[in-house]
Amino acid sequence: MDLPGYVANKIGVPVEAFRLLLTLLAGYPIAAIYHKYVVDRQKTLHHFYFALCGLSLCYYNNGTDTYYSLAATGTTFVLVSFLRSSPLLLLAINFVFHMGYLLLGYYFTISNEYDILWIMPHCILTLRMIGLGFDIADGLNKEEELSFLVGPQFPYRRYQSFTNGEYRQYGGYMNAGLKRRWITVFGAVNYYYAHEISNRTSYVKCKFNNEWMQREKIVYCLGLAYFVLKTIFWLNCN
């Protein structure tokens, strides 16, 4: 038995849940290493670093089932490569494929338990791939034909601006992320004690649900969450 499995058994939670927790917490050292060693290097190294970290964490959680995510990502890459001359067709096929892929995944993995499988984070990947399709199509269309897509995903242009160093002038992102991280933990602990969750296993299981909120803090630590206030003002005025 590996160390995560041993610790998970000791505290009475599924090893999959404990691996997921470790994956979320790994985002903080990944952000720190990025700002220490990668941020001033060429953009190719930025992309390689994020791809390597993402694939490693995905494989750590899902093992060989990682190929489901790779297949979905590869499909979008092929569609973008061959359908750039037909943005509308690209959007339609990309959307239908990823929604169908996700629904089939749910159909074949559904159970009466809350299983932590590849399909759980794949819903986020589905949003990202569909959003990327919109981003690519918008880049190929005229300005008056641009789409307006609202959702919890940042556009690819934001990632480009991030790797180009456009947000680097705004400091304090690491401190902001860490402060919000501890505020979340403090609030969760108070909530659990207020509701008298005395059973240790139940407390730890509830804590794992709270850890999903850490993803937002990791994005803060990377410096990717910077948002132009002028954009907010423009949206409010219009």
Side-chain angles (χ1 to χ4, degrees), residues 23-68:
T23 300
L24 291 170
L25 295 179
Y28 294 100
I30 286 175
I33 292 172
Y34 172 77
H35 286 294
K36 181 70 174 178
Y37 300 106
V38 183
V39 70
D40 293 321
R41 304 297 181 88
Q42 57 182 347
K43 286 196 297 183
T44 302
L45 183 60
H46 292 223
H47 303 323
F48 177 79
Y49 178 76
F50 288 126
L52 178 63
C53 291
L55 285 172
S56 299
L57 294 177
C58 188
Y59 185 81
Y60 177 70
N61 277 277
N62 302 323
T64 56
D65 284 347
T66 300
Y67 73 82
Y68 289 114

Side-chain angles (χ1 to χ4, degrees), residues 92-167:
I93 296 179
N94 189 57
F95 179 86
V96 171
F97 168 78
H98 284 291
M99 288 302 297
Y101 195 90
L102 180 66
L103 291 174
L104 283 174
Y106 281 136
Y107 177 79
F108 285 108
T109 60
I110 191 171
S111 70
N112 293 325
E113 303 294 331
Y114 185 76
D115 299 318
I116 299 179
L117 304 172
W118 67 272
I119 194 66
M120 185 176 65
H122 193 80
C123 62
I124 306 299
L125 182 62
T126 297
L127 289 174
R128 166 63 21 234
M129 291 296 100
I130 292 175
L132 179 61
F134 275 92
D135 291 342
I136 298 296
D138 282 347
L140 299 172
N141 284 329
K142 298 178 181 179
E143 185 174 354
E144 58 270 16
E145 298 175 353
L146 298 183
S147 59
F148 185 74
L149 184 65
V150 177
Q153 303 293 309
F154 57 84
Y156 185 71
R157 183 176 293 275
R158 170 171 286 274
Y159 173 73
Q160 287 181 313
S161 299
F162 169 69
T163 54
N164 287 337
E166 296 179 20
Y167 304 149

Side-chain angles (χ1 to χ4, degrees), residues 10 91 100 128 202 206:
K10 282 294 184 180
L91 279 178
R128 166 63 21 234
S202 298
C206 290

Side-chain angles (χ1 to χ4, degrees), residues 1-11 15 18-19 22 60:
M1 181 182 298
D2 59 2
L3 182 60
Y6 174 79
V7 175
N9 286 333
K10 282 294 184 180
I11 61 179
V15 64
F18 191 68
R19 286 181 182 274
L22 294 179
Y60 177 70

